[in-house]
Amino acid sequence: MAGAAGPTAPRGTLPAGRSRAGTPLIAGGRAPGSSSGVEPRAMPHRHRLEPGPAACELANRTHLDPGHQEGSAMGTSDTDLRTPDEDGSMDGISTISGSRNPLQPADTSSEEPFTTYFDSKIPIPEDETHSCFSFRKLWAFTGPGFLMSIAYLDPGNIESDLQSGAVAGFKLLWVLLMATVMGLLLQRLAARLGVVTGLHLAEVCHRQYQKVPRIILWLMVELAIIGSDMQEVIGSAIAINLLSMGKIPLWGGVLITIADTFVFLFLDKYGLRKLEAFFGFLITIMALTFGYEYITVKPNQEQLLKGLFIPYCQNCGTPQLEQAVGIVGAVIMPHNMYLHSALVKSRQVNRANKKEVREANKYFFIESCIALFVSFIINIFVVTVFAEAFFDKTNADVHEVCANSSSPHSSLFPNNNETLAVDIYKGGAVLGCYFGPAALYIWAIGILAAGQSSTMTGTYSGQFVMEGFLNLRWSRFARVLLTRSIAITPTLFVAIFQDVQHLTGMNDFLNILMSLQLPFALIPVLTFTSLSSVMNDFANGLFWKIGGGAMILLICSINMYFVVDYVRSLDHLGLYIGAALLSVVYLSFVAYLTWLCLIALGVSFLACGKTQQLGFAMRPELFLLNNVDSDSVTAR
């Protein structure tokens, strides 16, 4: 994206041919011998600073340079950290990076920096004529929120939507609205963390948690990403099968998703803005296809508004309660917190300027509101279509209609009086029976768009998480090959040896898996955004601490009910015993994270005088806005 027109360069741009230290830059905008645009200095005695009063004192007198070259790696923040050598001089410079220890010497190798998601940051244009709000600035900040919102439209969400409509009609729309609003507020915290610190959530976890907890945390988040990958593969395979009228078997669709993932990875070679535009195109396809189904079915608008704004569920029983719980679990995704906190780093923000940080937080929140509103409308389309057309329908009703329309899918619905149960595959088939083949194909196109867009965001989530937690510089292709292999292998076996009912039935287990991982994203994001040693002036206030804690407690409690109900439905003693043993380990780790979170929220007596051992002592690399001398910062 081009910067502001005219002689004034966009903020965040260095004078041509000069580095921040005043030395000439070589081609590409870097100082000689530097791999990140930072002039290296001799660092004969570098060691990791231990938390404590000395580190706090150092943090209070640290001068930070927010300069960042265009073309920097994803893991590199906008801030350079000067730390003293043993003699107390300030001769060492280290760059906060997601791919190395922030207090280690800068990498001076000639190797090109590893990049993820973008090769250059988007500059923010100046707009002096609109001080309160500028559409130019909003457009510059637009992109990360829409990529984040795709997680609210993945195949798992779509299946939850259609089942909600078929089982409860319009009665659970208010639950969908509530879950989306809670998701927005939590995404706000994740975005603020990335904007204020220049580090995404996985990087902050790596720096603040002890070694064993952060490894366990990484494994839990990876499980969530793999589970999400499997849902995306299932959704894409089903869509391909429907579009081909069954000529491409389900296992063939699974194999196709392997290839197309690598093809889509080439898209980011064409630039960040083009990549974001492609995701916008996929969201538009979903809006048009599911919107077509909405117009075709013509849901009752009065019932829609009543279900949306009046929290009620008349004559609801256990199936409806389970669907309500499922909606919350499907909407709020654990890996999405890690993703959003990383995506906001794609914009040039001078974090030494608190006004710019506030401005970035404001525009990212506005963009997230717009993006989640669009995703909410698409979810409404799906819920209301199935609420209007298929609520209180029996298998016999659908079987008769499918048989009369000569549909090849009539065998999916047994001729009995049981309540109709639908999934992504049956949903497309039943739409085709009632509203013609066009409705089936358009439904399949929407599901395919949902699966493919979610595939890409899941890929980037995995990259950010692996780099942040482990400091591993894996290529995108190696990262995708690993997680795709893990995700596709069990999916492929089920697709080959079982039928579509078993394949779609995996979604229930995967929803349970991701529900279990929610505390490992929500608790850390509340913990670190509440720490003044991390967020400084932008730390959560009392309202956000109490409100955020209450939201997370509610969401985790709802999801635990979902998990317990699922385990009870297995009805097997051995599985009960195994689940009980795993629960002890799981709840112990959640309790540990909660303990640290409560200390961050201000319940200091829980620290028992050992705060420094918790990883919460003030570390200078995270004091990004503390006592910054603005005169010492060279504007880019």
Side-chain angles (χ1 to χ4, degrees), residues 261-276:
T261 300
F262 288 99
V263 171
F264 285 136
L265 281 177
F266 285 105
L267 288 172
D268 62 1
K269 296 293 184 182
Y270 294 96
L272 175 59
R273 275 311 209 185
K274 291 183 177 64
L275 178 66
E276 292 174 345

Side-chain angles (χ1 to χ4, degrees), residues 77 79-80 104 137 142-143 158 223 247 249 324 328 389 426 428 446 459 526 618 626:
S77 77
T79 305
D80 293 333
Q104 288 178 347
K137 288 185 178 181
T142 297
I158 301 300
L223 279 177
K247 293 181 181 179
V328 177
K426 288 183 178 179
T459 298
L526 179 63
M618 294 179 290
N626 195 40

Side-chain angles (χ1 to χ4, degrees), residues 81-154:
L81 172 66
R82 299 176 185 266
T83 56
D85 291 330
E86 287 200 343
D87 60 0
S89 63
M90 300 292 289
D91 289 331
I93 292 182
S94 176
T95 302
I96 299 175
S97 169
S99 55
R100 64 176 178 268
N101 188 312
L103 297 180
Q104 288 178 347
D107 183 8
T108 58
S109 68
S110 59
E111 182 182 53
E112 282 297 310
F114 182 78
T115 59
T116 299
Y117 177 62
F118 63 87
D119 295 319
S120 62
K121 293 193 175 186
I122 304 299
I124 308 302
E126 296 290 351
D127 192 347
E128 300 296 340
T129 58
H130 302 87
S131 58
C132 295
F133 180 82
S134 168
F135 282 104
R136 290 182 64 205
K137 288 185 178 181
L138 178 61
W139 177 248
F141 282 108
T142 297
F146 280 90
L147 270 67
M148 169 273 296
S149 71
I150 286 173
Y152 292 72
L153 296 169
D154 70 355

Side-chain angles (χ1 to χ4, degrees), residues 373-394:
F373 177 75
V374 172
S375 70
F376 176 69
I377 294 298
I378 295 173
N379 283 318
I380 287 290
F381 287 161
V382 178
V383 174
T384 54
V385 162
F386 283 84
E388 180 68 30
F390 309 115
F391 175 56
D392 266 351
K393 289 287 193 303
T394 64

Side-chain angles (χ1 to χ4, degrees), residues 215-248:
I215 291 177
I216 298 174
L217 199 59
W218 168 69
L219 291 173
M220 295 298 100
V221 178
E222 285 290 353
L223 279 177
I225 294 172
I226 291 170
S228 178
D229 273 351
M230 292 179 70
Q231 285 190 319
E232 292 147 10
V233 169
I234 291 170
S236 297
I238 289 173
I240 292 170
N241 181 267
L242 287 172
L243 287 170
S244 67
M245 291 299 294
K247 293 181 181 179
I248 298 179

